[in-house]
Amino acid sequence: MSFEPIWGAIIAWYLFLAGLGGGAFITSAFLGWRHPEAVNMRKVGHLIAPIVVIIGLCLLMFDAEGGLHNPLRFALLLTNFGSVMTWGVVFLGGFTIVAIVVVVLDFLKKSVPVWLDIVGVLFAVCVAVYTGALLGVCKTFPLWNNALLPILFLVSAVSAGMASVLLVAVVRHADEFNRVGVLKKFHFCLPIIELVLVASLMFITSFNSVAGWNSVMSLLVGQYAPLFWIGLVLIGLVLPTALETWLLFFSPKEFEESRKAHWISFGSDAGVLVGGFLLRFLVVVAALPVTITVPMM
Amino acid sequence: MARYGMLINTKKCIGCYACRVACQRQNDLLPEQDFIRYEEHETGTYPNVSIETVPLQCMHCEDAPCVAVCPTGAAYIGADGIVGVDEGRCIGCKYCMAACPYQVRVHNEKTGTVDKCRFCTVSAETSGTKMCSCVEACLTNARIFGDLDDPDSDISKEIAATNAQPIAGDLTKSKVFYVR
Protein backbone atom coordinates (compact mmCIF):
# COMPACT_ATOMS: atom_id res chain seq x y z
CA MET A 1 0.00 0.00 0.00
CA SER A 2 1.30 3.44 -0.81
CA PHE A 3 0.84 6.34 1.57
CA GLU A 4 -0.05 9.87 0.56
CA PRO A 5 1.62 12.31 3.00
CA ILE A 6 -0.93 14.28 5.04
CA TRP A 7 1.12 17.47 4.94
CA GLY A 8 3.35 18.71 2.12
CA ALA A 9 5.67 21.51 1.08
CA ILE A 10 3.49 24.33 2.47
CA ILE A 11 3.66 22.97 6.01
CA ALA A 12 7.39 22.26 5.57
CA TRP A 13 7.91 25.92 4.59
CA TYR A 14 5.89 27.02 7.60
CA LEU A 15 7.90 24.84 10.01
CA PHE A 16 11.12 26.12 8.45
CA LEU A 17 10.15 29.81 8.50
CA ALA A 18 8.88 29.65 12.09
CA GLY A 19 12.19 28.11 13.16
CA LEU A 20 14.17 30.56 11.03
CA GLY A 21 12.39 33.52 12.66
CA GLY A 22 13.10 32.19 16.14
CA GLY A 23 16.71 31.52 15.18
CA ALA A 24 17.19 35.02 13.73
CA PHE A 25 15.89 36.59 16.97
CA ILE A 26 18.19 34.38 19.07
CA THR A 27 21.09 35.42 16.80
CA SER A 28 20.33 39.09 17.45
CA ALA A 29 20.19 38.54 21.18
CA PHE A 30 23.50 36.66 20.99
CA LEU A 31 25.04 39.54 19.02
CA GLY A 32 23.82 42.01 21.63
CA TRP A 33 25.55 39.96 24.31
CA ARG A 34 28.85 38.99 22.64
CA HIS A 35 29.21 41.53 19.83
CA PRO A 36 27.42 44.70 20.99
CA GLU A 37 29.32 46.69 18.33
CA ALA A 38 27.58 44.80 15.51
CA VAL A 39 24.55 47.07 15.72
CA ASN A 40 23.44 46.72 12.12
CA MET A 41 23.63 42.93 12.06
CA ARG A 42 21.54 42.89 15.20
CA LYS A 43 18.90 44.96 13.47
CA VAL A 44 19.00 42.61 10.49
CA GLY A 45 18.11 39.69 12.76
CA HIS A 46 15.36 41.70 14.43
CA LEU A 47 13.87 42.48 11.03
CA ILE A 48 14.11 38.95 9.61
CA ALA A 49 12.37 37.40 12.66
CA PRO A 50 8.85 38.85 12.36
CA ILE A 51 8.86 38.93 8.55
CA VAL A 52 9.55 35.23 8.05
CA VAL A 53 7.30 34.15 10.92
CA ILE A 54 4.41 36.17 9.50
CA ILE A 55 5.01 34.70 6.02
CA GLY A 56 4.99 31.24 7.65
CA LEU A 57 1.73 31.95 9.45
CA CYS A 58 0.12 33.11 6.19
CA LEU A 59 1.21 29.86 4.56
CA LEU A 60 -0.29 27.94 7.48
CA MET A 61 -3.62 29.71 7.09
CA PHE A 62 -3.47 29.11 3.35
CA ASP A 63 -3.01 25.38 3.96
CA ALA A 64 -5.86 25.18 6.50
CA GLU A 65 -8.58 25.54 3.88
CA GLY A 66 -11.49 25.13 6.26
CA GLY A 67 -10.30 28.23 8.10
CA LEU A 68 -9.28 30.03 4.90
CA HIS A 69 -12.89 29.89 3.71
CA ASN A 70 -14.20 30.88 7.16
CA PRO A 71 -11.51 33.03 8.82
CA LEU A 72 -13.47 33.50 12.05
CA ARG A 73 -12.82 29.84 12.85
CA PHE A 74 -9.17 30.69 13.50
CA ALA A 75 -10.33 32.34 16.73
CA LEU A 76 -11.23 28.85 17.97
CA LEU A 77 -7.54 27.89 17.88
CA LEU A 78 -7.23 28.85 21.52
CA THR A 79 -9.86 26.46 22.83
CA ASN A 80 -8.03 23.16 23.42
CA PHE A 81 -4.96 23.59 25.59
CA GLY A 82 -4.34 19.87 25.44
CA SER A 83 -3.29 20.32 21.81
CA VAL A 84 0.31 21.11 20.86
CA MET A 85 -1.02 23.22 17.99
CA THR A 86 -2.87 25.47 20.44
CA TRP A 87 0.36 25.98 22.36
CA GLY A 88 2.07 26.72 19.06
CA VAL A 89 -0.44 29.49 18.41
CA VAL A 90 0.32 30.95 21.85
CA PHE A 91 4.09 30.79 21.29
CA LEU A 92 3.89 32.15 17.74
CA GLY A 93 1.53 34.92 18.85
CA GLY A 94 3.76 35.93 21.76
CA PHE A 95 6.89 35.75 19.65
CA THR A 96 5.44 37.80 16.79
CA ILE A 97 4.31 40.53 19.18
CA VAL A 98 7.73 40.75 20.89
CA ALA A 99 9.52 40.66 17.53
CA ILE A 100 7.39 43.48 16.12
CA VAL A 101 7.85 45.61 19.26
CA VAL A 102 11.63 45.14 18.95
CA VAL A 103 11.56 46.21 15.28
CA VAL A 104 9.58 49.32 16.23
CA LEU A 105 12.13 50.14 18.97
CA ASP A 106 14.95 49.74 16.41
CA PHE A 107 13.09 51.94 13.98
CA LEU A 108 12.62 54.64 16.65
CA LYS A 109 16.35 54.28 17.44
CA LYS A 110 15.59 53.27 21.02
CA SER A 111 17.56 50.53 22.75
CA VAL A 112 15.94 47.13 23.29
CA PRO A 113 15.71 46.40 27.04
CA VAL A 114 17.46 43.22 28.14
CA TRP A 115 14.29 41.78 29.67
CA LEU A 116 12.51 42.08 26.32
CA ASP A 117 15.41 40.31 24.63
CA ILE A 118 15.13 37.49 27.19
CA VAL A 119 11.35 37.19 26.76
CA GLY A 120 11.82 37.12 22.99
CA VAL A 121 14.53 34.45 23.19
CA LEU A 122 12.31 32.29 25.42
CA PHE A 123 9.44 32.58 22.95
CA ALA A 124 11.87 31.89 20.08
CA VAL A 125 13.11 28.68 21.72
CA CYS A 126 9.51 27.63 22.41
CA VAL A 127 8.54 28.27 18.77
CA ALA A 128 11.49 26.26 17.43
CA VAL A 129 10.89 23.35 19.84
CA TYR A 130 7.16 23.45 19.18
CA THR A 131 7.70 22.85 15.44
CA GLY A 132 9.30 19.54 16.40
CA ALA A 133 6.82 18.69 19.15
CA LEU A 134 3.90 19.34 16.78
CA LEU A 135 5.00 16.36 14.71
CA GLY A 136 6.52 14.54 17.67
CA VAL A 137 3.26 13.82 19.49
CA CYS A 138 1.79 11.90 16.52
CA LYS A 139 2.35 8.40 17.88
CA THR A 140 1.57 6.78 14.54
CA PHE A 141 4.67 8.10 12.77
CA PRO A 142 7.92 6.62 14.15
CA LEU A 143 10.03 9.20 12.27
CA TRP A 144 8.26 11.94 14.24
CA ASN A 145 7.34 10.30 17.53
CA ASN A 146 10.68 10.61 19.31
CA ALA A 147 12.42 13.08 21.60
CA LEU A 148 15.18 13.86 19.10
CA LEU A 149 12.96 15.76 16.69
CA PRO A 150 12.27 18.90 18.79
CA ILE A 151 16.00 19.17 19.58
CA LEU A 152 16.97 18.63 15.94
CA PHE A 153 14.50 21.30 14.83
CA LEU A 154 15.78 23.70 17.52
CA VAL A 155 19.41 23.26 16.46
CA SER A 156 18.44 23.62 12.80
CA ALA A 157 16.36 26.73 13.61
CA VAL A 158 19.25 28.49 15.38
CA SER A 159 21.62 27.42 12.61
CA ALA A 160 19.30 28.78 9.90
CA GLY A 161 18.70 31.99 11.89
CA MET A 162 22.44 32.64 12.22
CA ALA A 163 22.96 31.80 8.54
CA SER A 164 20.28 34.27 7.47
CA VAL A 165 21.81 37.13 9.51
CA LEU A 166 25.36 36.33 8.32
CA LEU A 167 24.15 36.05 4.74
CA VAL A 168 22.61 39.52 4.80
CA ALA A 169 25.69 40.86 6.61
CA VAL A 170 27.96 39.69 3.76
CA VAL A 171 25.96 41.85 1.35
CA ARG A 172 25.14 44.85 3.50
CA HIS A 173 27.53 45.04 6.46
CA ALA A 174 30.84 43.42 5.47
CA ASP A 175 32.79 45.38 8.11
CA GLU A 176 30.67 43.98 10.93
CA PHE A 177 30.77 40.52 9.35
CA ASN A 178 34.54 40.45 9.91
CA ARG A 179 34.21 41.21 13.62
CA VAL A 180 31.68 38.62 14.77
CA GLY A 181 34.10 35.75 15.31
CA VAL A 182 32.30 34.20 18.28
CA LEU A 183 29.00 34.07 16.40
CA LYS A 184 30.72 32.44 13.43
CA LYS A 185 32.27 29.77 15.66
CA PHE A 186 28.91 28.92 17.21
CA HIS A 187 27.35 28.91 13.77
CA PHE A 188 30.12 26.57 12.60
CA CYS A 189 29.32 24.01 15.33
CA LEU A 190 25.60 23.72 14.65
CA PRO A 191 25.64 21.78 11.33
CA ILE A 192 28.02 19.29 12.96
CA ILE A 193 25.60 18.76 15.86
CA GLU A 194 22.82 18.48 13.29
CA LEU A 195 24.70 15.79 11.39
CA VAL A 196 24.97 13.73 14.56
CA LEU A 197 21.29 14.27 15.34
CA VAL A 198 20.15 13.34 11.82
CA ALA A 199 22.30 10.21 11.89
CA SER A 200 20.90 9.26 15.31
CA LEU A 201 17.34 9.89 14.14
CA MET A 202 17.84 7.65 11.11
CA PHE A 203 19.55 4.93 13.10
CA ILE A 204 17.10 4.74 16.00
CA THR A 205 13.97 5.16 13.86
CA SER A 206 14.99 2.32 11.58
CA PHE A 207 14.99 -0.03 14.57
CA ASN A 208 11.67 1.27 15.91
CA SER A 209 9.19 -0.61 13.70
CA VAL A 210 8.49 -1.65 10.13
CA ALA A 211 7.03 1.80 9.45
CA GLY A 212 10.15 3.40 10.95
CA TRP A 213 12.43 1.23 8.82
CA ASN A 214 10.44 2.00 5.66
CA SER A 215 10.49 5.76 6.40
CA VAL A 216 14.26 5.76 6.89
CA MET A 217 14.83 3.63 3.80
CA SER A 218 12.75 5.98 1.66
CA LEU A 219 15.18 8.71 2.74
CA LEU A 220 18.44 6.79 2.51
CA VAL A 221 17.91 4.64 -0.58
CA GLY A 222 14.35 5.24 -1.77
CA GLN A 223 12.45 7.97 -3.55
CA TYR A 224 13.79 10.79 -1.34
CA ALA A 225 17.42 9.66 -1.44
CA PRO A 226 18.65 12.29 -3.98
CA LEU A 227 17.14 15.14 -1.93
CA PHE A 228 18.39 13.64 1.32
CA TRP A 229 21.99 12.96 0.29
CA ILE A 230 22.64 15.81 -2.13
CA GLY A 231 20.28 18.46 -0.73
CA LEU A 232 20.28 17.93 3.02
CA VAL A 233 23.51 16.10 3.81
CA LEU A 234 25.87 17.50 1.17
CA ILE A 235 24.64 21.06 0.48
CA GLY A 236 22.94 21.64 3.83
CA LEU A 237 25.39 20.12 6.30
CA VAL A 238 28.70 18.80 4.96
CA LEU A 239 29.54 21.62 2.53
CA PRO A 240 28.95 24.44 5.07
CA THR A 241 30.99 22.52 7.65
CA ALA A 242 33.85 21.95 5.20
CA LEU A 243 33.91 25.55 3.91
CA GLU A 244 33.70 27.10 7.38
CA THR A 245 36.35 24.73 8.76
CA TRP A 246 38.68 25.92 6.04
CA LEU A 247 37.81 29.61 6.42
CA LEU A 248 37.88 29.70 10.22
CA PHE A 249 40.84 27.45 10.98
CA PHE A 250 43.05 26.94 7.93
CA SER A 251 42.91 30.00 5.68
CA PRO A 252 45.19 33.00 6.36
CA LYS A 253 43.58 35.89 8.23
CA GLU A 254 43.95 38.27 5.27
CA PHE A 255 42.06 35.86 3.06
CA GLU A 256 39.36 35.30 5.69
CA GLU A 257 38.58 39.02 5.60
CA SER A 258 38.76 39.31 1.82
CA ARG A 259 35.69 39.79 -0.32
CA LYS A 260 36.25 36.41 -1.95
CA ALA A 261 36.06 34.67 1.43
CA HIS A 262 32.89 36.62 2.20
CA TRP A 263 31.21 35.18 -0.86
CA ILE A 264 32.35 31.68 0.07
CA SER A 265 30.69 32.25 3.46
CA PHE A 266 27.62 33.50 1.63
CA GLY A 267 27.48 30.22 -0.30
CA SER A 268 27.88 28.18 2.86
CA ASP A 269 25.10 30.13 4.61
CA ALA A 270 22.81 29.70 1.62
CA GLY A 271 23.54 25.97 1.85
CA VAL A 272 22.53 25.98 5.53
CA LEU A 273 19.21 27.61 4.60
CA VAL A 274 18.55 25.10 1.82
CA GLY A 275 19.36 22.30 4.27
CA GLY A 276 17.07 23.80 6.90
CA PHE A 277 14.11 23.74 4.57
CA LEU A 278 14.90 20.29 3.20
CA LEU A 279 15.19 18.88 6.72
CA ARG A 280 11.60 19.95 7.48
CA PHE A 281 10.36 18.90 4.06
CA LEU A 282 11.92 15.43 4.16
CA VAL A 283 10.81 14.75 7.74
CA VAL A 284 7.25 15.81 6.85
CA VAL A 285 6.85 13.84 3.62
CA ALA A 286 8.96 10.74 4.27
CA ALA A 287 7.23 9.73 7.52
CA LEU A 288 5.12 6.58 7.16
CA PRO A 289 2.46 5.55 9.67
CA VAL A 290 2.35 2.37 11.69
CA THR A 291 -0.56 0.53 10.10
CA ILE A 292 -2.96 -2.04 11.40
CA THR A 293 -2.26 -5.10 9.30
CA VAL A 294 -0.36 -4.19 6.11
CA PRO A 295 2.74 -1.94 6.19
CA MET A 296 2.64 1.15 3.99
CA MET A 297 5.45 2.15 1.66
CA MET B 1 -27.36 6.54 27.44
CA ALA B 2 -26.39 3.97 24.93
CA ARG B 3 -22.74 3.35 24.06
CA TYR B 4 -22.75 2.48 20.40
CA GLY B 5 -20.31 0.14 18.75
CA MET B 6 -19.87 -2.04 15.71
CA LEU B 7 -18.68 -5.54 15.04
CA ILE B 8 -17.00 -6.48 11.76
CA ASN B 9 -16.46 -10.11 10.93
CA THR B 10 -13.63 -10.34 8.37
CA LYS B 11 -14.26 -14.08 8.04
CA LYS B 12 -17.59 -13.17 6.46
CA CYS B 13 -16.24 -10.21 4.45
CA ILE B 14 -15.86 -10.99 0.75
CA GLY B 15 -14.22 -7.65 -0.12
CA CYS B 16 -17.02 -6.42 -2.41
CA TYR B 17 -16.77 -2.80 -1.14
CA ALA B 18 -20.58 -2.51 -1.03
CA CYS B 19 -20.26 -0.92 2.42
CA ARG B 20 -18.13 1.91 1.05
CA VAL B 21 -20.47 2.55 -1.87
CA ALA B 22 -23.48 2.58 0.48
CA CYS B 23 -21.67 4.92 2.87
CA GLN B 24 -20.78 7.36 0.11
CA ARG B 25 -24.39 7.42 -1.04
CA GLN B 26 -25.95 7.66 2.41
CA ASN B 27 -23.65 10.47 3.49
CA ASP B 28 -23.58 12.23 0.11
CA LEU B 29 -19.79 12.07 -0.09
CA LEU B 30 -17.50 13.27 -2.85
CA PRO B 31 -16.16 10.50 -5.12
CA GLU B 32 -12.70 10.67 -3.53
CA GLN B 33 -14.00 10.73 0.03
CA ASP B 34 -13.97 7.28 1.56
CA PHE B 35 -14.91 6.80 5.19
CA ILE B 36 -14.11 3.10 4.87
CA ARG B 37 -10.71 1.95 3.64
CA TYR B 38 -9.48 -1.61 3.19
CA GLU B 39 -6.26 -3.39 3.99
CA GLU B 40 -5.67 -6.66 2.14
CA HIS B 41 -3.83 -8.83 4.60
CA GLU B 42 -1.96 -11.89 3.32
CA THR B 43 -1.27 -14.66 5.82
CA GLY B 44 0.39 -18.02 5.76
CA THR B 45 3.24 -19.53 3.81
CA TYR B 46 2.94 -20.96 0.31
CA PRO B 47 1.00 -23.09 -0.54
CA ASN B 48 -1.20 -22.54 2.50
CA VAL B 49 -2.02 -18.86 2.11
CA SER B 50 -5.12 -16.77 2.46
CA ILE B 51 -6.19 -13.17 2.00
CA GLU B 52 -8.20 -11.30 4.55
CA THR B 53 -9.96 -8.06 3.67
CA VAL B 54 -9.93 -5.76 6.69
CA PRO B 55 -12.39 -2.85 6.37
CA LEU B 56 -11.24 0.07 8.52
CA GLN B 57 -13.20 3.16 9.50
CA CYS B 58 -13.45 5.54 12.45
CA MET B 59 -13.23 3.38 15.56
CA HIS B 60 -15.09 5.92 17.69
CA CYS B 61 -12.36 5.61 20.30
CA GLU B 62 -13.09 6.46 23.92
CA ASP B 63 -9.48 7.58 24.12
CA ALA B 64 -9.56 9.44 20.80
CA PRO B 65 -6.21 10.91 19.67
CA CYS B 66 -8.00 13.12 17.09
CA VAL B 67 -10.01 14.80 19.84
CA ALA B 68 -6.88 15.26 21.95
CA VAL B 69 -4.94 17.08 19.22
CA CYS B 70 -7.75 19.09 17.59
CA PRO B 71 -6.81 22.72 18.36
CA THR B 72 -10.29 24.17 17.76
CA GLY B 73 -12.46 21.59 19.49
CA ALA B 74 -14.04 20.58 16.17
CA ALA B 75 -13.36 16.91 16.91
CA TYR B 76 -15.45 15.84 19.90
CA ILE B 77 -16.95 12.82 21.63
CA GLY B 78 -20.75 13.02 21.86
CA ALA B 79 -22.89 11.91 24.78
CA ASP B 80 -23.56 8.56 23.11
CA GLY B 81 -19.84 7.95 22.64
CA ILE B 82 -19.90 8.73 18.92
CA VAL B 83 -16.84 10.71 17.81
CA GLY B 84 -18.01 13.62 15.68
CA VAL B 85 -16.64 16.52 13.68
CA ASP B 86 -18.26 19.93 14.10
CA GLU B 87 -17.68 21.21 10.58
CA GLY B 88 -18.40 24.77 11.67
CA ARG B 89 -15.32 24.70 13.91
CA CYS B 90 -12.92 22.78 11.64
CA ILE B 91 -10.14 24.87 10.09
CA GLY B 92 -8.78 21.93 8.07
CA CYS B 93 -5.34 21.84 9.68
CA LYS B 94 -5.34 18.02 9.27
CA TYR B 95 -3.69 17.51 12.68
CA CYS B 96 -6.37 14.90 13.49
CA MET B 97 -5.51 13.03 10.29
CA ALA B 98 -1.89 12.82 11.42
CA ALA B 99 -2.86 11.73 14.95
CA CYS B 100 -5.37 9.02 13.97
CA PRO B 101 -3.65 5.62 14.34
CA TYR B 102 -6.07 4.07 11.83
CA GLN B 103 -5.71 6.66 9.01
CA VAL B 104 -9.45 6.80 8.53
CA ARG B 105 -10.03 10.56 8.53
CA VAL B 106 -10.42 12.15 5.12
CA HIS B 107 -10.11 15.67 3.78
CA ASN B 108 -13.06 17.20 1.95
CA GLU B 109 -11.63 19.04 -1.07
CA LYS B 110 -14.71 21.25 -1.38
CA THR B 111 -15.10 22.53 2.17
CA GLY B 112 -11.44 22.14 3.17
CA THR B 113 -12.54 20.40 6.37
CA VAL B 114 -11.93 16.89 7.68
CA ASP B 115 -14.61 14.24 7.97
CA LYS B 116 -14.97 10.53 8.77
CA CYS B 117 -17.45 7.77 9.63
CA ARG B 118 -20.35 9.31 11.58
CA PHE B 119 -21.92 6.04 12.76
CA CYS B 120 -24.91 7.26 10.71
CA THR B 121 -26.45 3.83 11.00
CA VAL B 122 -27.48 4.79 14.53
CA SER B 123 -30.63 6.31 12.98
CA ALA B 124 -31.65 2.91 11.66
CA GLU B 125 -30.97 1.45 15.11
CA THR B 126 -32.91 4.03 17.14
CA SER B 127 -35.83 4.96 14.88
CA GLY B 128 -35.99 2.02 12.50
CA THR B 129 -35.49 4.31 9.46
CA LYS B 130 -34.40 2.29 6.46
CA MET B 131 -30.95 3.45 5.48
CA CYS B 132 -28.28 2.82 2.94
CA SER B 133 -25.59 2.33 5.58
CA CYS B 134 -22.64 -0.04 5.62
CA VAL B 135 -24.46 -2.34 8.05
CA GLU B 136 -27.58 -2.62 5.94
CA ALA B 137 -25.73 -2.89 2.64
CA CYS B 138 -23.47 -5.75 3.70
CA LEU B 139 -24.40 -8.81 1.67
CA THR B 140 -22.95 -11.32 4.11
CA ASN B 141 -24.05 -9.67 7.37
CA ALA B 142 -20.44 -9.16 8.31
CA ARG B 143 -21.41 -6.03 10.24
CA ILE B 144 -23.50 -5.68 13.40
CA PHE B 145 -24.29 -2.35 15.04
CA GLY B 146 -25.73 -1.79 18.49
CA ASP B 147 -25.44 -0.80 22.13
CA LEU B 148 -22.34 -2.21 23.78
CA ASP B 149 -23.76 -1.47 27.25
CA ASP B 150 -26.85 -3.61 26.68
CA PRO B 151 -25.89 -7.23 27.42
CA ASP B 152 -28.94 -8.46 25.46
CA SER B 153 -28.13 -6.58 22.25
CA ASP B 154 -27.11 -8.61 19.19
CA ILE B 155 -23.71 -6.99 19.14
CA SER B 156 -22.94 -7.71 22.80
CA LYS B 157 -23.94 -11.33 22.42
CA GLU B 158 -21.92 -11.74 19.22
CA ILE B 159 -18.84 -10.10 20.75
CA ALA B 160 -19.05 -12.48 23.69
CA ALA B 161 -19.70 -15.53 21.50
CA THR B 162 -16.91 -14.81 19.01
CA ASN B 163 -14.39 -13.23 21.38
CA ALA B 164 -14.27 -10.18 19.10
CA GLN B 165 -11.53 -7.63 19.84
CA PRO B 166 -10.73 -4.08 18.76
CA ILE B 167 -8.34 -4.16 15.79
CA ALA B 168 -5.41 -2.73 17.75
CA GLY B 169 -6.19 -4.10 21.19
CA ASP B 170 -6.35 -1.49 23.92
CA LEU B 171 -4.56 1.17 21.85
CA THR B 172 -7.37 3.74 21.93
CA LYS B 173 -10.33 1.98 23.57
CA SER B 174 -11.97 1.51 20.19
CA LYS B 175 -15.67 0.70 19.90
CA VAL B 176 -15.37 -1.22 16.64
CA PHE B 177 -14.75 -4.90 17.30
CA TYR B 178 -13.33 -7.41 14.85
CA VAL B 179 -13.74 -11.14 14.38
CA ARG B 180 -10.70 -12.29 12.41
Side-chain angles (χ1 to χ4, degrees):
Chain A
M1 266 194 316
S2 67
F3 178 72
E4 183 72 23
I6 291 166
W7 289 314
I10 294 182
I11 293 299
W13 273 111
Y14 153 69
L15 296 175
F16 169 64
L17 291 172
L20 174 63
F25 193 94
I26 292 170
T27 307
S28 284
F30 183 87
L31 283 168
W33 176 46
R34 293 309 301 262
H35 300 290
E37 71 285 358
V39 182
N40 289 314
M41 279 179 72
R42 206 170 161 217
K43 286 182 179 168
V44 167
H46 284 162
L47 199 58
I48 290 173
I51 291 175
V52 295
V53 168
I54 289 169
I55 293 173
L57 288 173
C58 291
L59 287 175
L60 185 64
M61 288 194 269
F62 192 73
D63 191 65
E65 287 169 33
L68 190 68
H69 301 158
N70 309 276
L72 284 177
R73 288 185 198 169
F74 285 120
L76 299 167
L77 274 167
L78 293 169
T79 50
N80 178 9
F81 278 87
S83 170
V84 174
M85 198 177 279
T86 297
W87 281 102
V89 171
V90 172
F91 295 145
L92 282 161
F95 179 70
T96 310
I97 291 168
V98 173
I100 289 174
V101 168
V102 167
V103 169
V104 170
L105 287 177
D106 276 353
F107 187 72
L108 298 174
K109 296 194 165 41
K110 287 183 180 160
S111 69
V112 179
V114 175
W115 66 266
L116 194 61
D117 249 355
I118 294 172
V119 171
V121 166
L122 285 177
F123 271 124
V125 170
C126 287
V127 165
V129 171
Y130 141 78
T131 59
L134 179 77
L135 302 179
V137 295
C138 297
K139 273 196 249 178
T140 311
F141 295 87
L143 188 63
W144 298 350
N145 187 218
N146 56 74
L148 272 180
L149 203 64
I151 299 168
L152 173 58
F153 278 15
L154 173 64
V155 173
S156 168
V158 177
S159 176
M162 288 182 173
S164 67
V165 174
L166 287 167
L167 190 128
V168 175
V170 166
V171 184
R172 303 278 313 264
H173 310 290
D175 51 325
E176 288 185 9
F177 181 85
N178 282 334
R179 279 180 269 130
V180 291
V182 184
L183 176 74
K184 284 183 192 164
K185 289 205 171 73
F186 268 91
H187 177 53
F188 160 78
C189 295
L190 295 175
I192 300 171
I193 298 171
E194 243 182 285
L195 266 172
V196 177
L197 288 171
V198 169
S200 309
L201 181 69
M202 294 301 118
F203 187 70
I204 303 296
T205 308
S206 68
F207 279 85
N208 174 298
S209 56
V210 175
W213 171 267
N214 287 341
S215 307
V216 171
M217 286 307 133
S218 78
L219 287 170
L220 300 188
V221 293
Q223 57 169 321
Y224 299 113
L227 269 184
F228 179 83
W229 288 109
I230 300 172
L232 174 59
V233 176
L234 190 67
I235 297 174
L237 298 171
V238 173
L239 205 68
T241 306
L243 290 175
E244 296 295 331
T245 305
W246 176 53
L247 284 177
L248 286 174
F249 304 107
F250 295 101
S251 72
K253 182 131 177 83
E254 312 81 70
F255 180 75
E256 200 186 325
E257 297 189 353
S258 72
R259 209 56 192 140
K260 201 173 170 190
H262 285 176
W263 289 110
I264 294 174
S265 266
F266 183 92
S268 130
D269 290 332
V272 167
L273 292 175
V274 170
F277 167 71
L278 283 178
L279 173 71
R280 296 344 185 267
F281 178 71
L282 290 169
V283 166
V284 166
V285 297
L288 292 166
V290 176
T291 37
I292 304 306
T293 58
V294 184
M296 290 209 190
M297 302 292 279
Chain B
M1 197 77 189
R3 193 171 64 93
Y4 291 111
M6 193 181 281
L7 178 139
I8 298 175
N9 189 336
T10 66
K11 287 177 180 164
K12 287 187 181 175
C13 177
I14 55 171
C16 67
Y17 303 167
C19 46
R20 178 159 74 188
V21 176
C23 167
Q24 289 192 295
R25 200 180 135 204
Q26 173 68 50
N27 293 296
D28 200 14
L29 304 185
L30 301 172
E32 60 276 9
Q33 264 189 304
D34 46 348
F35 289 174
I36 304 174
R37 67 178 189 88
Y38 304 87
E39 289 191 5
E40 302 281 338
H41 186 216
E42 289 175 40
T43 50
T45 306
Y46 178 83
N48 299 312
V49 292
S50 63
I51 275 210
E52 175 198 19
T53 303
V54 185
L56 295 158
Q57 63 203 66
C58 176
M59 305 288 168
H60 296 275
C61 315
E62 287 175 14
D63 194 357
C66 55
V67 176
V69 301
C70 177
T72 63
Y76 66 95
I77 301 182
D80 46 9
I82 296 177
V83 175
V85 180
D86 182 350
E87 204 205 295
R89 295 177 75 98
C90 178
I91 57 167
C93 68
K94 303 186 204 168
Y95 204 13
C96 56
M97 290 174 70
C100 174
Y102 310 99
Q103 291 100 48
V104 289
R105 300 177 73 93
V106 287
H107 186 240
N108 181 327
E109 299 287 335
K110 265 195 185 149
T111 61
T113 55
V114 176
D115 211 339
K116 44 123 225 142
C117 163
R118 304 156 183 169
F119 260 2
C120 64
T121 200
V122 71
S123 307
E125 170 82 11
T126 51
S127 64
T129 325
K130 271 285 174 198
M131 290 179 75
C132 165
S133 72
C134 56
V135 175
E136 289 169 73
C138 183
L139 306 171
T140 59
N141 284 328
R143 292 167 177 267
I144 302 174
F145 182 83
D147 183 1
L148 298 170
D149 280 349
D150 175 5
D152 294 325
S153 66
D154 289 348
I155 187 170
S156 297
K157 286 184 199 160
E158 191 68 9
I159 288 172
T162 56
N163 189 29
Q165 301 287 341
I167 195 89
D170 292 335
L171 183 65
T172 55
K173 295 188 185 150
S174 145
K175 290 201 289 290
V176 177
F177 289 74
Y178 285 78
V179 182
R180 300 180 62 194

